[in-house]
Amino acid sequence: MVTNSNLHYHILKGIIDNGFAPTVDDLADTFQTDKEQVIKGLHDLQDYHGVVLHPNEPKVWVIHPFSLAPTNFYVQTKNGQWWGNCAWCSLGVAALLNEDVKITTTIGAETKQVEINIVNGQIQEKNYFIHFPIPMKNAWDNVIYTCSNMLVFENEEQIDSWTKRHDIPKGDIQPIEKIWNFSKKWYGNHLNPEWTKWTVEDAKRIFIEFELEGKVWNLGDSKERF
């Protein structure tokens, strides 16, 4: 039987093991079912905000924290390479892999390349910041755009300049080590075969736990799935 939980698990496991997502045919073989049931399951999982499919075919584009298309965040271990959707997601990939990781990115998705290393569970480069310009309550209005704007910077002055240069609102700024610890909690259960998506109330509690406050993190009274 195809469910949100077991489908999510097999897609993530395939990406971690192989570097790319299983196809509909692969998943049909895994579940010993027909392709129509898998396709329906993929669309159900997308409605659940557990995956993003390509617009015109039942093919995985994003399953957080992984992107199946190139991004500004390249995540490497001795066992493989992957793309993270954003700064937050790339740290989430590291949390899921639970091994030493090197993240290669560029400041503000521009020209200066930097590396972020996680060794024995500890982030080594602690002097970076992550900018969150899109309010979380609007994250799924266009989740690809939301993720593409969660970027690494060296200081607030860079962010001020960047937001003016690109006409993107200035949002919340958080130290990278704090978001690393937050990512371990947020993504820590994603590889559980019985995974379920965080609810809005779950998200609010986790935001409070990690002192993520202000208008960017305010989910209000939304009853929508985060």
Side-chain angles (χ1 to χ4, degrees):
M1 179 179 177
V2 179
T3 68
N4 284 338
S5 298
N6 60 26
L7 185 56
H8 182 268
Y9 170 78
H10 283 290
I11 295 170
L12 279 184
K13 189 69 165 56
I15 293 168
I16 290 171
D17 289 348
N18 303 311
F20 51 85
T23 66
V24 169
D25 286 336
D26 293 333
L27 292 166
D29 288 343
T30 296
F31 288 103
Q32 293 294 289
T33 190
D34 55 55
K35 293 195 295 184
E36 287 70 24
Q37 286 301 309
V38 171
I39 291 169
K40 180 182 183 300
L42 287 168
H43 284 285
D44 288 346
L45 186 58
Q46 179 166 252
D47 290 342
Y48 188 63
H49 287 177
V51 71
V52 180
L53 304 177
H54 284 262
N56 299 310
E57 59 180 323
K59 181 178 179 181
V60 177
W61 182 359
V62 163
I63 180 166
H64 292 92
F66 295 95
S67 172
L68 282 305
T71 71
N72 189 48
F73 292 88
Y74 195 57
V75 183
Q76 297 171 272
T77 73
K78 64 181 181 181
N79 295 311
Q81 304 86 36
W82 304 266
W83 288 299
N85 295 286
C86 62
W88 175 9
C89 282
S90 64
L91 295 172
V93 171
L96 274 185
L97 297 174
N98 195 28
E99 56 183 310
D100 291 352
V101 167
K102 178 173 73 174
I103 300 166
T104 305
T105 187
T106 56
I107 299 297
E110 296 180 344
T111 58
K112 183 176 180 179
Q113 188 177 85
V114 297
E115 290 182 1
I116 298 159
N117 294 279
I118 296 168
V119 180
N120 295 325
Q122 300 296 316
I123 196 159
Q124 303 300 297
E125 294 78 14
K126 299 179 181 180
N127 56 330
Y128 293 121
F129 298 86
I130 299 176
H131 180 222
F132 296 86
I134 310 299
M136 292 297 154
K137 66 182 179 181
N138 302 120
W140 280 88
D141 294 350
N142 183 342
V143 74
I144 302 298
Y145 180 78
T146 298
C147 285
S148 68
N149 278 283
M150 294 181 191
L151 301 170
V152 172
F153 293 89
E154 295 170 304
N155 51 59
E156 187 169 1
E157 289 74 21
Q158 280 184 342
I159 294 169
D160 287 336
S161 175
W162 185 90
T163 55
K164 291 174 183 176
R165 194 161 61 249
H166 297 293
D167 193 26
I168 292 174
K170 183 179 179 181
D172 190 48
I173 303 167
Q174 293 290 339
I176 195 167
E177 186 176 23
K178 181 176 178 179
I179 300 303
W180 165 234
N181 291 325
F182 166 57
S183 298
K184 288 186 283 186
K185 175 66 175 279
W186 189 265
Y187 285 110
N189 198 46
H190 266 50
L191 202 57
N192 185 337
E194 297 181 357
W195 164 90
T196 57
K197 178 84 173 174
W198 296 122
T199 65
V200 169
E201 292 306 313
D202 290 331
K204 287 179 180 178
R205 284 193 293 271
I206 297 170
F207 292 171
I208 290 170
E209 179 182 347
F210 288 91
E211 298 180 337
L212 297 169
E213 303 169 337
K215 64 180 182 180
V216 163
W217 302 96
N218 183 2
L219 295 174
D221 297 323
S222 172
K223 301 302 179 185
E224 297 296 320
R225 181 154 300 281
F226 183 70

